C-alpha cells in the first residue's frame, strides 16, 4: 500500500457516486463487527480540518455489475445496484498520511470493486457551513486583524474561535456583510497552486503547511488554505445566522448556522415566539415588555411571600417556651433560605442551645440551617443526625446547613429533644 488515496472530492465536490478498488480491509480489534478499509480512491471526505466526515454506503460489485456499469457509463445511478440489505454502511472516515480509512459494518475482500454513494444532503450542508465560515473569518481578519485559531463543524453547529474580542455590534455588522456576500453570489474557487504561485498568495492558515497546499478563494472576501469541499458560488450558502457568542480564552467564540440549518433554527425560533405570543395574548414584538412586567410582578410576589413566611416563622418561634434550651422548627419546603437563616440567627441570640429550622417534607426530605451560640458546635448536631439518617452538609461551629433524607418530622424533633 504505497500509493495515497486519490481524493475524488477535490476534483468535484458535487459528485455523489464512484467506483474504487479495495486495497485492504481488516477487522478492528475490540470493535464488534467493524472493519477498516482502504480504497484506491474515494469521494468520502474524512474527518479533517475540524469538520465531520461524510456519510454514506458502499456496495460490493459482482463481475456482472462491473460490466453493466461499463455499458451504462455515468447514466445509471448507484440505486440500480444497491439493494438495501446488501449495503455496507460507512460508519466513519479518517485520514492518516494521505491514506483514507473507511470504517465499515461489513467485511470487503481485498482486490474487489465497490460502488460508493455519499449522503449528499449531509455533504452539501457541511459545504454550506464551511463556505459561510470562510467568508465570516475572512471579514473578521480583514476588518479587525484577528485570526481564526479554532474551528469545529459538527452535524449540529459550527464554532469559530478568534484571537481577539469582538463586541455584539461588531459581530452583527460582520453577519450583515457575510449575507451581503451571499446575495452577491460570488465565485468560490478551490485549487492547488504551484509552489511559485503559492509564494505570491497572501492566504490565511491556522498552521504552517508543507507539501501541496489547497487554496479556497472567495472572490473579494477571503483566501484560505483548506482541505474541505465547498460550494461553487456564495449564493448556495443561502443565509448565515449567528446563534451564539462568548468571550473565550481572551478572544471570542462564535457559533453560526448556514443554509437549511439556519432556516430550521430561525423557523424554530419563530414558532416559539408565535406560541408565546398566543399564550400571552400579545404580538411577537411585545413579548419582551410583557415578560419584563411579569418578572417584576413575580419579584414583588416573592418578596411578599418571603415577608409573610418570615412573620409566620417568627410567630412559631415565639410559641416555644422561654425555658426550652434547644429549639427546632419545621417550615414549608419552598421557604426562602435567607428567611430561614435570619430566624435561626434570631433564635441563637435568644437561646442558650442549638437552634435549627428544617424545611421540606417527609417524602422528599428536608433542608436545614442550624446555629448555636459561642461555646457550642453546630456540627455536633450533624454527628447525632448521621447516626440514623443520610445527612449532607456542614459548616462552621456557629452555623451549619445541608440536607437530610430518610427522616420524618417526628424523627428530627426527637433528635433535637435528645441534645444536651
Amino acid at each position: 500500500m504505497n500509493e495515497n488515496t486519490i481524493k475524488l472530492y477535490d476534483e468535484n465536490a458535487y459528485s455523489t457516486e464512484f467506483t474504487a478498488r479495495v486495497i485492504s480491509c481488516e477487522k478492528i480489534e475490540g470493535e464488534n463487527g467493524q472493519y477498516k478499509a482502504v480504497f484506491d480512491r474515494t469521494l468520502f471526505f474524512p474527518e479533517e480540518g475540524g469538520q465531520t466526515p461524510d456519510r454514506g454506503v458502499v456496495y460490493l460489485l459482482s463481475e456482472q455489475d462491473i460490466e453493466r456499469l461499463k455499458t451504462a457509463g455515468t447514466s445509471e445511478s448507484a440505486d440500480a445496484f444497491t439493494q438495501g440489505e446488501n449495503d455496507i454502511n460507512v460508519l466513519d472516515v479518517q485520514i492518516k498520511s494521505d491514506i483514507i480509512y473507511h470504517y465499515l459494518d461489513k467485511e470487503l475482500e481485498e482486490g474487489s470493486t465497490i460502488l460508493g454513494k455519499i449522503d449528499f444532503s449531509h455533504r452539501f450542508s457541511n459545504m454550506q457551513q464551511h463556505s459561510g465560515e470562510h467568508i465570516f473569518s475572512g471579514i473578521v481578519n480583514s476588518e479587525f486583524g484577528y485570526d481564526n485559531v479554532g474551528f469545529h463543524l459538527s452535524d449540529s453547529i459550527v464554532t469559530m474561535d478568534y484571537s481577539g474580542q469582538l463586541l455584539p455590534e461588531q459581530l452583527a455588522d460582520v453577519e450583515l456583510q457575510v449575507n451581503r456576500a451571499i446575495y452577491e453570489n460570488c465565485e468560490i474557487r478551490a485549487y492547488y497552486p504551484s509552489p511559485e504561485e503559492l509564494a505570491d498568495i497572501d492566504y490565511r492558515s491556522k498552521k504552517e503547511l508543507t507539501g501541496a497546499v489547497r487554496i479556497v478563494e472567495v472572490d473579494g472576501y477571503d483566501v484560505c488554505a483548506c482541505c474541505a469541499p465547498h460550494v461553487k458560488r456564495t449564493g448556495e450558502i443561502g443565509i448565515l445566522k449567528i446563534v451564539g457568542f462568548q468571550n473565550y480564552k481572551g478572544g471570542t467564540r462564535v457559533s453560526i448556522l448556514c443554509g437549511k440549518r439556519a432556516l430550521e433554527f430561525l423557523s424554530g425560533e419563530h414558532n416559539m415566539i408565535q406560541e408565546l405570543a398566543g399564550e400571552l395574548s400579545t404580538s411577537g414584538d411585545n413579548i419582551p415588555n410583557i415578560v419584563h412586567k411579569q418578572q417584576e410582578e413575580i419579584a414583588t410576589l416573592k418578596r411578599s411571600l418571603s415577608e409573610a413566611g418570615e412573620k409566620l416563622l417568627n410567630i412559631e418561634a415565639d410559641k416555644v417556651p422561654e425555658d426550652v434550651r434547644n429549639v427546632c422548627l419545621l417550615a414549608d419546603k419552598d421557604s426562602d433560605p435567607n428567611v430561614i437563616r435570619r430566624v435561626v440567627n434570631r433564635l441563637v441570640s435568644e437561646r442558650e442551645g442549638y437552634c435549627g429550622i428544617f424545611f421540606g417534607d417527609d417524602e422528599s426530605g428536608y433542608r436545614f440551617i442550624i446555629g448555636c451560640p459561642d461555646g457550642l458546635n453546630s456540627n455536633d448536631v450533624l454527628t447525632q443526625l448521621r447516626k440514623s439518617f443520610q445527612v449532607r452538609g456542614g459548616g462552621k461551629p456557629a452555623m451549619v446547613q445541608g440536607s437530610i433524607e430518610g427522616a420524618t418530622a417526628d424523627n428530627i424533633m426527637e433528635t433535637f429533644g435528645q441534645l444536651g
Side-chain angles (χ1 to χ4, degrees):
M1 190 168 59
N2 296 322
E3 296 182 357
N4 299 335
T5 309
I6 297 173
K7 303 171 183 177
L8 297 174
Y9 51 81
D10 271 356
E11 301 171 11
N12 187 351
Y14 293 79
S15 293
T16 60
E17 301 167 10
F18 70 102
T19 58
R21 184 169 58 89
V22 179
I23 302 297
S24 67
C25 185
E26 59 185 44
K27 187 168 185 177
I28 304 173
E29 295 298 328
E31 294 290 339
N32 187 22
Q34 285 194 27
Y35 299 84
K36 183 170 68 173
V38 176
F39 309 143
D40 62 344
R41 58 190 203 146
T42 187
L43 268 177
F44 284 95
F45 179 76
E47 183 176 18
E48 188 177 16
Q51 178 173 320
T52 56
D54 281 331
R55 303 170 180 171
V57 296
V58 298
Y59 180 72
L60 178 63
L61 294 177
S62 65
E63 292 295 331
Q64 292 82 359
D65 290 333
I66 295 172
E67 289 302 317
R68 183 178 167 189
L69 268 178
K70 289 179 180 178
T71 302
T74 58
S75 63
E76 198 158 5
S77 169
D79 293 336
F81 295 89
T82 56
Q83 301 175 17
E85 68 273 9
N86 293 326
D87 291 351
I88 301 172
N89 294 303
V90 179
L91 308 173
D92 191 13
V93 189
Q94 298 291 323
I95 186 170
K96 185 176 181 181
S97 301
D98 274 340
I99 299 173
I100 297 176
Y101 299 90
H102 305 74
Y103 292 77
L104 314 174
D105 63 355
K106 295 177 185 176
E107 188 175 11
L108 286 170
E109 184 178 348
E110 184 177 323
S112 59
T113 301
I114 59 97
L115 176 67
K117 182 177 182 179
I118 66 166
D119 178 347
F120 188 71
S121 176
H122 178 261
R123 157 74 71 82
F124 186 70
S125 178
N126 278 356
M127 288 163 62
Q128 288 180 310
Q129 315 309 310
H130 208 144
S131 296
E133 178 273 321
H134 271 231
I135 302 172
F136 197 103
S137 295
I139 292 173
V140 168
N141 183 257
S142 62
E143 294 245 336
F144 307 102
Y146 299 152
D147 294 323
N148 181 339
V149 294
F151 170 67
H152 180 65
L153 197 173
S154 73
D155 293 339
S156 58
I157 197 71
V158 182
T159 59
M160 303 94 73
D161 297 331
Y162 295 107
S163 58
Q165 294 191 355
L166 294 162
L167 300 174
E169 56 268 26
Q170 292 173 327
L171 288 169
D173 182 63
V174 173
E175 180 184 74
L176 184 63
Q177 290 189 59
V178 173
N179 283 288
R180 186 180 297 120
I182 291 172
Y183 309 150
E184 290 171 357
N185 200 27
C186 307
E187 181 184 8
I188 299 179
R189 192 163 67 101
Y191 60 99
Y192 286 93
S194 67
E196 294 76 21
E197 291 171 327
L198 185 65
D200 293 329
I201 298 175
D202 182 17
Y203 64 93
R204 295 188 303 109
S205 179
K206 297 183 186 67
K207 59 184 181 180
E208 291 293 328
L209 301 174
T210 59
V213 176
R214 184 170 179 263
I215 295 295
V216 174
E217 183 176 346
V218 184
D219 188 23
Y221 289 95
D222 187 45
V223 181
C224 183
C226 183
C227 59
H230 286 266
V231 296
K232 291 181 179 179
R233 305 194 73 88
T234 59
E236 296 177 74
I237 299 169
I239 186 174
L240 179 143
K241 180 61 188 168
I242 296 174
V243 297
F245 60 90
Q246 64 185 97
N247 292 336
Y248 182 74
K249 294 185 177 179
T252 307
R253 170 167 285 184
V254 182
S255 299
I256 63 167
L257 291 173
C258 296
K260 184 182 177 184
R261 294 192 198 180
L263 177 62
E264 289 173 345
F265 171 82
L266 292 171
S267 295
E269 296 282 291
H270 176 73
N271 292 338
M272 180 176 63
I273 290 171
Q274 291 299 103
E275 184 177 346
L276 284 172
E279 291 287 337
L280 297 172
S281 300
T282 188
S283 59
D285 59 351
N286 197 40
I287 288 176
N289 292 331
I290 296 292
V291 171
H292 181 67
K293 183 179 179 180
Q294 288 186 345
Q295 286 177 330
E296 290 180 338
E297 292 173 349
I298 290 170
T300 300
L301 287 172
K302 282 184 175 180
R303 284 194 297 269
S304 298
L305 285 171
S306 179
E307 291 169 0
E310 188 166 358
K311 288 179 181 178
L312 287 173
L313 266 179
N314 279 315
I315 290 172
E316 291 299 314
D318 291 338
K319 291 180 181 179
V320 179
E322 293 182 3
D323 59 348
V324 174
R325 175 182 172 84
N326 301 313
V327 179
C328 180
L329 299 179
L330 299 174
D332 185 78
K333 65 180 180 179
D334 295 322
S335 298
D336 183 348
N338 293 319
V339 167
I340 300 294
R341 187 174 290 103
R342 286 197 295 269
V343 177
V344 167
N345 284 331
R346 176 216 158 177
L347 287 167
V348 168
S349 70
E350 299 173 349
R351 306 284 170 154
E352 297 181 353
Y354 300 102
C355 302
I357 298 179
F358 290 72
F359 48 117
D361 54 51
D362 291 356
E363 183 178 347
S364 58
Y366 292 86
R367 290 183 290 164
F368 60 78
I369 296 178
I370 301 169
C372 64
D374 292 342
L376 297 177
N377 189 337
S378 297
N379 286 288
D380 293 341
V381 182
L382 299 190
T383 301
Q384 191 68 22
L385 289 168
R386 286 191 176 106
K387 291 179 180 179
S388 304
F389 311 107
Q390 184 177 345
V391 177
R392 294 180 180 177
K396 297 179 180 180
M399 181 171 285
V400 294
Q401 61 184 23
S403 63
I404 182 170
E405 295 180 6
T408 65
D410 290 341
N411 296 147
I412 294 169
M413 300 299 288
E414 183 181 353
T415 301
F416 253 76
Q418 294 171 353
L419 296 173

